Structure formats: C-alpha cells, structure tokens
Amino acid sequence: MIKVNENFLKLKSSYLFSEIAKRVSSFQEQNPEKSIIKLGIGDVTRALPKACIEAFHKAVDELGSDKTFRGYGPEKGYDFLREKIADSDYGSVNIDADEIFVSDGSKCDTGNFQELFANDITVAVPDPVYPVYVDTNVMAGRTGDNAEGRYQGLEYLECNQANDFVPALPSKPVDLIYLCFPNNPTGTVATKEQLKLWVDYAREHKALILYDAAYEAFITDKEIPHSIYEIEGAHEVAVEFRSFSKLAGFTGTRCAITVVPKTCMVYDSTGAAHSLHALWNRRQSTKFNGVSYPVQRAAEAVYSQEGRRQVKELVDYYMNNASIIKEKMTSLGFTCTGGTNAPYIWINSKSDSWTFFDLLLNKAGVVCTPGAGFGTCGEGYVRLSAFNSRENVESAMNRIAEAL
Ligand code: MLT
C-alpha cells in the first residue's frame, strides 16, 4: 500500500493564490459579462525588457548550430551571469561569484532551503508571511497541526501597525529565521539598525537567517539597505534570495539568485560546524540541472547599459502604480502601509479580509489578496499589487471608489 506523507494532510486544502484563482474563476463563470481587474497575485504584466529579448533570441540561435550548441549547464549557473551578479549587485558587500547560485526562482529556493536542516529545529516566521516559508516546513514535518490558523511548533513573529510591521526578536530561542524585506505582503522595509538586531541575534544563537530580498529593486529610500550583507557579521549567518521576476518581468521566464556565503556554518548533533555552501551545492547538483542557457543570457542582459535603463523604467512604472493605489485608498479613508519601497500596498480593510475580498470582487470586479491568507495577523487587511497596466490600475481605483 502506498502511504501518504501525513504532513501534507496538515496543510490547508489549497495554496492561497490557487484558492483566489478558484474564487475568481467561479465568479467569472457566473458573471461572464463582468470585466475583472487582477491586483491580487504579484504577477507582472509588462513585456520583458528589449535588451533581455535580444539576448534571449541570440542565445536560442546559438542552440540552433552544432558549433555553439550547449547541453547541460553548470548547476550553479554560468560564470558569465554569476560574475555579473557578484560585481553589480554584491560588489560593495564582498560576495564572490562562487557564493552565488542561479536558480529558477526564489519561491523554489526559499521553499527548498529548509531541506538542509534537522527536523527538530525551531523555526521563526513573521506573521503575516509569504505562505511558502510555512507550508514547506509543514511538509517537512517540522510542525504539529494547524490550530486556529497557526501551526503548532512554529514561532510566529507578530507584525502589526504597533510595530510598523517589523517583527521584534523572538521571546524564546529559535534556530532558523525567515525575514523578507521589502516585505511581502506588507510592503514594509527594515532599517540597518533593525536588521543588525537580527544578525546579532543569529550570531549569538548560532541561528541562520533566510533573507528574502526578492523586491529589493523597488527600494527608493536611500537609507534602506538593499542587502543583508550591508550589516556587519551577516556573512556568517544569512542566506539571501533575489529574483529577476519582479525586477525584469521574469515571472514566466524564471531566473533567480541565491547567495550562500562560504563563511556560513550549520552544526551537527556534536556541535561540529559544516559549510552551508557545500551542502546547498550538494543539494542543487543532485536535484537541479540549472536554468536554461537562453534564460541566463536574458538575465545577463539586465546588467548591460540598455538593460539597466529598461529595467529601471519597468520598476518606476510599477512604483507609479503603487503611488496611485496608495493615494486613492488613503483618500477613501483606509490606512495603508507599503507602496513606497515595495510594489505592494497593505490596507487595513476595517472588516474581515475575505469579506472585503468578496466585496471588491462582486461590486468592483477587482481582485485583491485577503490578508488572512498570509497568517492570523493578516486578518483585517488586504493586499493590492501594483503589477498591472496604468489603465487597469486607474480603472480599478475608480471602480473601488464607486463601489465603497
Ligand atoms: C505574491 O503575489 O505574493 C507573489 O506572486 C508570490 C511569488 O512571487 O511567488
């Protein structure tokens, strides 16, 4: 008899964004004449930058000739891309190209990374949180059942208006800490001083921080750190994730960056230290065959002069959408967070978040993400995403103003 991994049975029946998609398509079936504007899932809508497309085409053509054909690439990514990333993104924080892994997405990497750790570690997650961090630890068997929206055994770090959605250090010792700045879903950022508290904590407790910086390109405030490695000591205790998805429109193309410094250690039951970099490399070379060559060439083009200009234009476009959303929702009397250093606007919905989701869908034909889907502290909030056309964002704001 084939037996199930019972940890999967602890999970909520569907992933948040699948649940939203299900509700939206059922609404659309019942109301085929209604036009729906999706500001729910953070999926980009604008074309890939021209520089990326040109590089992509050229690389595909190379695969069409025996002389320039490439088969399996290096699991960690081609040197040409890792060197560009190291120089351009991490040149000022002493990260070497060899410490960079190119992958097919930060969702996969933030989800997979926990495989390297023992099952009896204590895991801390912010609440609200990107569900992937929680669900993958549930699948691995690191939690008990879900009771009232929280899994037993996880340490939830509450984020609310009172702490500006930046979590305080845990009250009990933890071993693995997930942080995400600019934050998904709240759009908040952390200052150097706030991150230093976490780095110091991790060093003191021999803990590890998984730092999701997928939205770093959207930071506009000059004082806000773009990388956790701007904090002294972080190279010993933090792994950082970045992505080409939102930066350059690669959500469907798939390319991301995971930085595992060679100075990061993980400990066995005798207390002996092991290289985290070596273990992640071992994991990736066993389970992953690298990102396709044309995609890596397209990602490399982000770092060309033209690519940089085009990517900035994309980011600015979405950030203008974010200001429009934030301004309108504020003028309608809602308290909003985010939207200035992140493409997400976190809105106090003044009511139950799924009720507000249904209200926006039914009355305005606008899809948001209910905050409750991100954790118990997300109840009473919804998230609007700035990833859409200007026209749709303006129209969504007008429809919401009329509907409320
Ligand atoms: C979101 O809407 O939170 C994002 O699309 C998540 C992701 O990038 O996987």
Side-chain angles (χ1 to χ4, degrees):
M1 179 171 62
I2 178 68
K3 287 194 178 167
V4 67
N5 171 352
E6 292 192 11
N7 296 315
F8 276 68
L9 306 180
K10 296 174 192 160
L11 293 165
K12 289 211 201 98
S13 60
S14 69
Y15 180 60
L16 171 64
F17 295 106
S18 319
E19 174 63 27
I20 293 171
K22 210 163 77 193
R23 289 193 187 209
V24 172
S25 69
S26 130
F27 174 81
Q28 188 77 88
E29 262 168 41
Q30 284 155 28
N31 303 275
E33 74 298 343
K34 288 233 166 120
S35 89
I36 293 177
I37 301 175
K38 293 182 181 167
L39 302 182
I41 191 165
D43 193 6
V44 294
T45 57
R46 302 200 75 203
L48 290 175
K50 206 158 176 285
C52 298
I53 285 294
E54 283 166 7
F56 215 156
H57 276 295
K58 193 164 164 271
V60 170
D61 285 342
E62 283 179 49
L63 299 184
S65 153
D66 288 349
K67 282 205 185 99
T68 46
F69 173 77
R70 300 189 187 223
Y72 292 128
E75 294 97 353
K76 281 178 88 169
Y78 284 101
D79 287 351
F80 64 76
L81 179 56
R82 292 190 299 116
E83 276 160 17
K84 285 268 162 47
I85 295 167
D87 280 359
S88 309
D89 293 340
Y90 292 103
S92 57
V93 290
N94 288 323
I95 291 290
D96 194 70
D98 206 29
E99 297 175 301
I100 289 166
F101 292 79
V102 171
S103 80
D104 60 347
S106 291
K107 176 179 177 176
C108 321
D109 283 4
T110 55
N112 291 331
F113 216 91
Q114 49 74 32
E115 283 180 20
L116 302 187
F117 310 119
N119 258 30
D120 61 354
I121 57 165
T122 305
V123 179
V125 290
D127 178 7
V129 66
Y130 180 44
V132 171
Y133 316 153
V134 172
D135 288 2
T136 50
N137 276 287
V138 175
M139 291 171 183
R142 263 183 218 107
T143 72
D145 287 330
N146 190 315
E148 291 166 26
R150 287 190 163 181
Y151 289 97
Q152 290 153 359
L154 283 187
E155 179 71 5
Y156 287 91
L157 308 167
E158 300 205 343
C159 301
N160 44 44
Q161 246 146 351
N163 61 17
D164 286 329
F165 300 98
V166 177
L169 295 177
S171 49
K172 63 179 232 200
V174 299
D175 309 300
L176 180 65
I177 301 150
Y178 289 83
L179 293 178
C180 172
F181 292 111
N183 187 258
N184 179 13
T186 67
T188 44
V189 282
T191 61
K192 281 194 179 154
E193 293 68 31
Q194 285 166 326
L195 286 185
K196 184 175 181 320
L197 292 177
W198 284 101
V199 169
D200 291 350
Y201 176 92
R203 291 175 85 189
E204 193 187 326
H205 292 81
K206 290 190 168 167
L208 185 82
I209 299 170
L210 296 184
Y211 190 74
D212 186 350
Y215 300 94
E216 68 79 28
F218 296 85
I219 294 172
T220 53
D221 185 336
K222 294 209 165 13
E223 298 303 309
I224 297 298
H226 284 245
S227 166
I228 194 155
Y229 304 119
E230 291 177 44
I231 314 302
E232 202 194 322
H235 295 65
E236 293 162 30
V237 290
V239 170
E240 180 165 297
F241 305 89
R242 287 195 188 183
S243 171
F244 292 91
S245 281
K246 317 291 158 97
L247 165 74
F250 275 51
T251 54
T253 310
R254 313 305 305 152
C255 198
I257 301 164
T258 293
V259 183
V260 190
K262 292 199 167 163
T263 39
C264 257
M265 292 295 144
V266 64
Y267 304 89
D268 67 22
S269 50
T270 70
H274 300 266
S275 158
L276 192 64
H277 181 278
L279 290 169
W280 182 242
N281 193 37
R282 184 71 179 81
R283 190 265 175 213
Q284 287 299 81
S285 49
T286 304
K287 295 196 176 183
F288 185 60
N289 256 339
V291 175
S292 80
Y293 173 68
V295 168
Q296 293 194 56
R297 280 293 184 200
E300 182 195 21
V302 164
Y303 299 97
S304 66
Q305 212 182 351
E306 268 307 282
R308 277 177 206 281
R309 194 187 54 72
Q310 290 161 7
V311 158
K312 180 171 183 322
E313 207 181 287
L314 262 187
V315 168
D316 289 349
Y317 181 93
Y318 291 128
M319 288 311 283
N320 279 334
N321 285 350
S323 333
I324 294 169
I325 297 171
K326 189 166 186 173
E327 226 167 82
K328 189 64 177 188
M329 295 306 290
T330 307
S331 78
L332 291 172
F334 293 93
T335 305
C336 299
T337 308
T340 46
N341 289 298
Y344 295 128
I345 299 90
W346 185 243
I347 300 160
N348 185 330
S349 57
K350 301 186 275 189
S351 62
D352 166 84
S353 64
W354 278 106
T355 307
F356 197 75
F357 169 89
D358 287 334
L359 175 86
L360 289 195
L361 181 60
N362 292 313
K363 288 201 161 176
V366 173
V367 181
C368 65
T369 306
F374 296 105
T376 56
C377 290
E379 183 50 277
Y381 293 86
V382 295
R383 190 194 77 179
L384 285 177
S385 149
F387 294 118
N388 214 310
S389 66
R390 183 66 36 77
E391 194 193 350
N392 276 347
V393 164
E394 282 170 350
S395 160
M397 291 304 108
N398 292 337
R399 289 195 203 175
I400 291 175
E402 276 167 31
L404 294 178

